Amino acid sequence: MSKGFNYSKWDNIELSDDEDDVHPNIEKESWFRMKHRSRIEREEREEADKKKIQKEMAAADLRKKELKKLQADIAKGNEDDSDDDDLEDTEGLEAELKELAKSNDARQATLDEYEKNKKWNIDNMCKVVEERTIINPRAAQEKFSEAGYALPDDDDDDTKGTPDVGKDVDVTSMSIKDDVTEKPKPKEPTASEASKTVAPSSKPKKLTSAKTTTVVAKKKAVAGPDRESVAMMTYHDFTQKYADLVEEFMLLQNWEASKQFLLLHGNVLLQENASNYLLLASLEDEMNGFREKMKLTARQSQIISNIAELAKSLHTHPGNVILPFFQRLEQPEFLLGFQDGVNSFIEKIKARAIVKKEEIDAERKEELEQEAQEAVDLKEVPKEERVGPGGLDPVEVFETLPLSMQEAFESREVDDLKKAIMEMEPEEAEYHMKRCVDCGLWNA
């Protein structure tokens, strides 16, 4: 059975606030300071006494070595007769050695007594084994914009800049401008497409922005003068890399999950591009009729913008205010104010969705009218001018085509035409397609 630890050395722990014998007329703090000063003075006296005893023991040990050397010389008989009067006899040397050993034993006993009765306190209980100072060379660099959003890390290959989207989308103040949802110019709609109501996609992943902004990023330390590199990133690049991450954040419903997710991925979600993505997603959800999803996305968007606003007011990185922000949400008055802001943001999203739909409908109507004006009735064109490369009249050929092929040509849907052909016999399909090529309805 192994021997247990001996904890008796900790029985004499001396604490400055462990005094119960303070007189009522004596201030407690002054009493503690006096006790502390007395302890320091006592330890200094004991330390001085120890050093004196150790010095005497060292001198005695040196004398013992000299006496033992004399004894060795006498034993060897190497002393000259002329020096006999100066030599001490062997018995005298032995007596002195015993006296020195006895004195040293007494001194060692005194040292042992000091150690045994040593009082442990905060000054002698522990000691510093190792000391080091670690300096972060990038501590002075500000990794956040003036608007309070996070800037990408210079060493992160996936993030090389933050687009300046604040000019188009003022998320902090919850205002939506007309050019927020600018998308690539759509293809010209066909006749059948014009009759359908088309809404934007539920995800703003494929939205692109023509804007490109620059962020100055310092390179790693190198010899010579400091050099700067310019990194560029578009909104499209951001969505290509982090759309799935932002989409996951959009679906979080409780505060704790949102807080933990931001603590884990704040370097991405606290960027301006992420805030812009959430705004566009909430707008498109509303335009597509997903009202409940829009409300949740709008709330998540306001979490990001409120954190950025708080970081801006404190002039610190937004990652530093994630916990303070969610702690504020535990206060009823702050939570009520935040919810009022979310409701106001939702109303602006609804209003903007209505206007945007009207703009899209007006644009499509204008395109259809322009297309109708440009359209020409082939029956009004002379037959010799409308004849195709094979010498056939497209009007006559069209009237002889099966109904399914006529509908496919009218809708300009290639898939519908392929489906109509697959339903025919091979010989019949080949016959009709050859005539379509000869009359110019289809390009081979």
Side-chain angles (χ1 to χ4, degrees):
M1 182 177 179
S2 61
K3 185 178 179 181
F5 292 102
N6 182 14
Y7 294 100
S8 61
K9 62 181 294 185
W10 306 112
D11 292 341
N12 295 326
I13 297 179
E14 187 176 27
L15 302 176
S16 59
D17 57 352
D18 195 25
E19 306 294 341
D20 298 329
D21 55 345
V22 183
H23 193 276
N25 295 336
I26 300 178
E27 184 186 4
K28 191 173 183 179
E29 295 298 329
S30 300
W31 176 259
F32 290 157
R33 286 196 297 270
M34 185 190 70
K35 284 290 186 180
H36 179 73
R37 184 170 63 252
S38 300
R39 172 170 59 81
I40 295 298
E41 293 175 353
R42 184 189 72 238
E43 290 179 351
E44 289 177 351
R45 289 195 301 269
E46 291 179 357
E47 193 64 28
D49 194 16
K50 289 179 183 179
K51 290 182 179 179
K52 180 181 178 182
I53 293 175
Q54 291 171 353
K55 186 176 180 181
E56 292 175 352
M57 291 179 67
D61 290 337
L62 183 61
R63 178 58 182 167
K64 286 168 65 176
K65 289 182 181 179
E66 294 177 352
L67 294 177
K68 288 180 179 180
K69 183 178 180 182
L70 288 175
Q71 284 181 332
D73 291 342
I74 292 174
K76 292 180 181 179
N78 294 331
E79 293 78 9
D80 298 333
D81 294 338
S82 58
D83 297 333
D84 287 345
D85 295 338
D86 298 333
L87 295 176
E88 299 179 28
D89 59 297
T90 304
E91 293 181 359
L93 296 177
E94 288 290 342
E96 188 174 357
L97 283 173
K98 290 181 181 180
E99 186 65 26
L100 291 173
K102 184 177 179 181
S103 299
N104 271 2
D105 290 342
R107 295 187 183 100
Q108 186 61 46
T110 303
L111 293 177
D112 294 341
E113 188 69 18
Y114 275 135
E115 189 66 25
K116 180 179 179 181
N117 298 325
K118 181 179 180 180
K119 296 288 185 181
W120 294 98
N121 54 67
I122 192 172
D123 296 325
N124 59 19
M125 189 178 296
C126 303
K127 63 179 180 179
V128 178
V129 177
E130 182 181 1
E131 221 173 19
R132 67 171 65 183
T133 302
I134 301 176
I135 299 176
N136 183 2
R138 299 192 300 175
Q141 299 180 11
E142 294 185 350
K143 293 294 181 181
F144 55 93
S145 65
E146 294 181 358
Y149 291 97
L151 295 179
D153 191 358
D154 300 340
D155 297 333
D156 188 0
D157 293 337
D158 291 336
T159 56
K160 295 185 178 180
T162 302
D164 184 9
V165 297
K167 296 180 179 179
D168 291 324
V169 183
D170 187 5
V171 183
T172 303
S173 60
M174 294 177 293
S175 64
I176 306 172
K177 299 186 179 180
D178 294 341
D179 54 345
V180 169
T181 56
E182 182 179 0
K183 297 179 173 63
K185 187 175 181 180
K187 297 180 181 179
E188 296 184 0
T190 61
S192 62
E193 292 174 339
S195 62
K196 300 178 183 179
T197 301
V198 182
S201 173
S202 60
K203 293 185 179 181
K205 292 181 181 179
K206 298 183 179 179
L207 298 181
T208 59
S209 173
K211 295 185 180 179
T212 303
T213 57
T214 61
V215 174
V216 177
K218 291 187 177 180
K219 293 183 178 180
K220 296 182 179 179
V222 294
D226 292 339
R227 293 180 174 86
E228 295 180 343
S229 61
V230 178
M232 307 179 69
M233 190 182 199
T234 63
Y235 176 80
H236 176 72
D237 294 334
F238 179 87
T239 57
Q240 289 293 324
K241 296 175 183 177
Y242 302 117
D244 293 339
L245 184 66
V246 183
E247 290 284 342
E248 186 176 353
F249 176 73
M250 286 165 48
L251 301 177
L252 301 179
Q253 298 188 7
N254 62 75
W255 301 115
E256 184 63 25
S258 298
K259 179 179 71 175
Q260 296 300 329
F261 202 81
L262 283 173
L263 290 174
L264 188 61
H265 304 288
N267 60 322
V268 174
L269 295 174
L270 294 176
Q271 295 183 31
E272 282 182 311
N273 274 336
S275 178
N276 193 28
Y277 186 102
L278 291 171
L279 188 146
L280 292 174
S282 58
L283 180 59
E284 294 189 357
D285 287 340
E286 174 64 19
M287 295 176 68
N288 289 328
F290 305 131
R291 177 63 58 83
E292 295 303 319
K293 183 181 178 184
M294 180 273 290
K295 291 181 178 180
L296 179 59
T297 304
R299 191 201 71 172
Q300 298 299 91
S301 174
Q302 286 304 290
I303 290 177
I304 300 299
S305 61
N306 275 262
I307 289 177
E309 184 68 21
L310 181 59
K312 178 183 178 181
S313 63
L314 299 176
H315 193 66
T316 185
H317 192 281
N320 297 332
V321 299
I322 295 176
L323 293 179
F325 171 76
F326 283 96
Q327 289 172 355
R328 287 189 179 188
L329 289 180
E330 298 176 0
Q331 305 173 12
E333 61 277 8
F334 185 84
L335 179 59
L336 182 60
F338 174 79
Q339 191 59 47
D340 289 342
V342 173
N343 294 336
S344 176
F345 183 76
I346 289 175
E347 293 302 320
K348 293 182 179 182
I349 289 290
K350 292 179 181 178
R352 177 56 185 156
I354 295 174
V355 174
K356 192 63 179 177
K357 281 185 177 181
E358 292 176 352
E359 292 175 354
I360 293 176
D361 292 341
E363 182 180 353
R364 287 175 178 166
K365 183 179 179 181
E366 181 180 352
E367 291 178 354
L368 288 176
E369 292 177 353
Q370 183 178 359
E371 186 177 286
Q373 293 176 358
E374 295 176 354
V376 178
D377 190 356
L378 290 178
K379 294 182 179 180
E380 299 178 358
V381 179
K383 183 176 181 180
E384 58 273 11
E385 294 182 7
R386 68 190 186 202
V387 173
L392 298 181
D393 183 3
V395 175
E396 296 177 356
V397 172
F398 183 83
E399 292 176 350
T400 62
L401 291 176
L403 181 60
S404 58
M405 290 188 68
Q406 291 183 13
E407 293 177 350
F409 276 110
E410 287 179 349
S411 64
R412 300 183 184 180
E413 292 291 342
V414 177
D415 292 337
D416 292 347
L417 181 60
K418 290 180 179 179
K419 183 179 179 181
I421 294 174
M422 293 297 295
E423 293 175 353
M424 301 179 187
E425 294 294 333
E427 295 79 6
E428 183 183 4
E430 183 179 359
Y431 168 76
H432 287 299
M433 285 305 300
K434 184 178 184 307
R435 298 183 74 239
C436 289
V437 172
D438 292 340
C439 72
L441 288 176
W442 184 261
N443 293 327

